[in-house]
Amino acid sequence: MPVEFISAVHTDSGASGPAAASRTGFDPAYLRRYARALDDGGFDHTLVAYHSASPDALQVAQFVATHTERVRPILAHRPGVVFPTHAARALATLDRISDGRLSLHIISGGSDEEQHREGDYLNKTERYERSDEYIQILRKVWRSDGPVSHEGKYFRFEGYHSDVKPVHGLVPISVGGSSQDAYRVGGQQGDIFGLWGEPLKETAEQIAAVNAVADAAGRPRPRIWVSFRPIIAPTDELAWEKAHSTLGVLQDQAANTELLRHYRTTGRPANVGSQRLLDIAGRGEVHDRCLWTAPAVATNAAGASTALVGSPETVAKALLDYVDIGCDLLSIRGYDPLNDAIDYARHVLPLVRQELAHRATTRAA
């Protein structure tokens, strides 16, 4: 499979500053401009994120699909919110609207506090078990030509049938996380497995853990998706100046309890992925070629938060380092999302693709 690039849409210009969690509403004109910038810029996919306080992700994904021609929405989805039969029909409908461009990113939920906001009181292990069952139901409904019944630990229904099916039969499903539960569900069920940007050694170890589960299950290994927040400038020196300026804004926004009131959770993060980022930051601020962990500390590792800092050439080389260890889906979105997406499309994507094309030509020769 070719190496592909992922971005993430934002729903209003209030989210275009360094704090992606500062969303305050929905601006259709801004989102339309953002989605078209990704389409025109050559991104292959864009994540439509989910949060209990954000605009409804399913409707945002439909908006993106309607206003683009090529970029493929990756819809983040929490299994505990919508019953799986309804989700199967809604997702198949959205896939039809997008002409088969939809992918699904299953979020089992890393924070009990955030889950409780939407009435979900299962513990983490139970949430991953539910995700496993949920994925199986989605595929069962999509594959079936007749009524489907199911009796499991978390869901039960009889005689369900959907007239609408995905364009290609199934919607690709992504699972993410850094816990043993995530590796198990992702290895057994995922077409794609998502990781946050850790150093190369730790990333390779996580890939190996997911692959081992897939191998034991006798199924294809998931494609690996790794996420960064690159900070680029014409030279490495200017990029680091920009990085420290960005960090100051992040720190100011993290101190603004009103700005982040709906997105904040208290204390040390409950999810393993955030804990790992903070532990890595404790071992050093810069890793490998240019992986910078200070933003993870400033945001309490609230989501993908580590940066790749440098000139476009430096950042492109760093991304290729991850390709070399088995990552073929590169998620890059900035702390200034729209402007950064435009810059990445102009200056980073072409460098990575040119090098990959050169490698392919060399191998063929």
Side-chain angles (χ1 to χ4, degrees):
M1 296 290 287
V3 171
E4 295 177 327
F5 283 94
I6 304 171
S7 183
V9 295
H10 294 268
T11 56
D12 68 32
S13 56
S16 64
S22 65
R23 298 187 180 94
T24 56
F26 184 91
D27 180 346
Y30 178 84
L31 178 57
R32 186 181 301 111
R33 179 186 173 203
Y34 197 110
R36 288 176 177 172
L38 299 179
D39 214 31
D40 295 341
F43 281 91
D44 301 286
H45 307 265
T46 187
L47 174 67
V48 180
Y50 184 101
H51 191 277
S52 61
S54 297
D56 182 70
L58 184 71
Q59 296 182 66
V60 173
Q62 179 179 340
F63 186 97
V64 171
T66 302
H67 290 91
T68 58
E69 297 180 359
R70 198 186 64 83
V71 71
R72 288 169 269 175
I74 301 176
L75 173 64
H77 183 75
R78 280 186 183 169
V81 178
V82 179
F83 199 76
T85 51
H86 176 78
R89 186 173 75 255
L91 293 166
T93 302
L94 177 54
D95 190 62
R96 287 281 167 181
I97 290 171
S98 72
D99 194 24
R101 287 183 284 154
L102 182 66
S103 295
L104 184 68
H105 182 52
I106 293 291
I107 302 176
S108 297
S111 164
D112 291 345
E113 185 177 350
E114 166 64 3
Q115 297 298 122
H116 294 171
R117 292 169 181 169
E118 295 194 294
D120 185 4
Y121 288 87
L122 297 182
N123 63 40
K124 181 180 173 182
T125 297
E126 291 170 332
R127 292 197 297 267
Y128 272 102
E129 290 177 346
R130 178 179 61 192
S131 292
D132 191 318
E133 187 175 339
Y134 199 94
I135 294 168
Q136 293 182 53
I137 292 169
L138 292 178
R139 289 174 172 154
K140 185 186 296 185
V141 171
W142 290 334
R143 287 181 172 126
S144 176
D145 292 327
V148 173
S149 298
H150 176 85
E151 185 167 353
K153 182 175 180 180
Y154 299 98
F155 303 104
R156 177 183 176 184
F157 58 90
E158 297 178 8
Y160 181 78
H161 174 72
S162 172
D163 287 335
V164 60
K165 305 292 184 182
V167 172
H168 304 295
L170 296 172
V171 171
I173 293 178
S174 166
V175 176
S178 295
S179 66
Q180 294 300 320
D181 288 328
Y183 301 154
R184 176 182 56 79
V185 176
Q188 292 178 350
Q189 300 291 349
D191 302 302
I192 299 165
F193 192 86
L195 297 169
W196 289 341
E198 296 187 5
L200 292 162
K201 177 178 178 294
E202 286 80 359
T203 302
E205 290 169 350
Q206 293 204 80
I207 294 171
V210 175
N211 287 345
V213 174
D215 292 346
R219 65 181 305 273
R221 294 176 172 181
R223 301 182 70 192
I224 301 298
W225 162 13
V226 63
S227 297
F228 304 99
R229 308 292 286 268
I231 299 172
I232 66 170
T235 67
D236 289 347
E237 292 77 11
L238 289 172
W240 280 107
E241 289 181 15
K242 180 179 176 181
H244 286 101
S245 176
T246 299
L247 181 62
V249 177
L250 286 173
Q251 291 168 335
D252 289 344
Q253 291 178 335
N256 187 333
T257 56
E258 178 64 18
L259 179 67
L260 299 176
R261 67 191 184 280
H262 299 307
Y263 296 87
R264 186 183 300 279
T265 54
T266 56
R268 180 171 167 84
N271 61 304
V272 176
S274 293
Q275 293 172 10
R276 287 175 63 101
L277 292 188
L278 293 174
D279 290 343
I280 290 165
R283 300 201 302 268
E285 189 170 298
V286 181
H287 296 260
D288 301 324
R289 193 183 296 272
C290 61
L291 181 70
W292 192 40
T293 62
V297 177
T299 60
N300 201 29
S305 49
T306 50
L308 298 173
V309 181
S311 67
E313 291 79 10
T314 296
V315 170
K317 289 176 182 176
L319 290 169
L320 288 162
D321 290 339
Y322 285 88
V323 172
D324 291 338
I325 64 168
C327 304
D328 60 0
L329 291 161
L330 305 175
S331 176
I332 54 172
R333 59 187 175 108
Y335 283 108
D336 184 3
L338 177 54
N339 291 325
D340 285 342
I342 293 169
D343 285 344
Y344 301 157
R346 289 174 177 169
H347 304 298
V348 176
L349 273 62
L351 291 176
V352 174
R353 287 173 171 153
Q354 287 166 14
E355 173 58 23
L356 292 170
H358 172 71
R359 292 181 181 184
T361 301
T362 302
R363 284 195 299 270

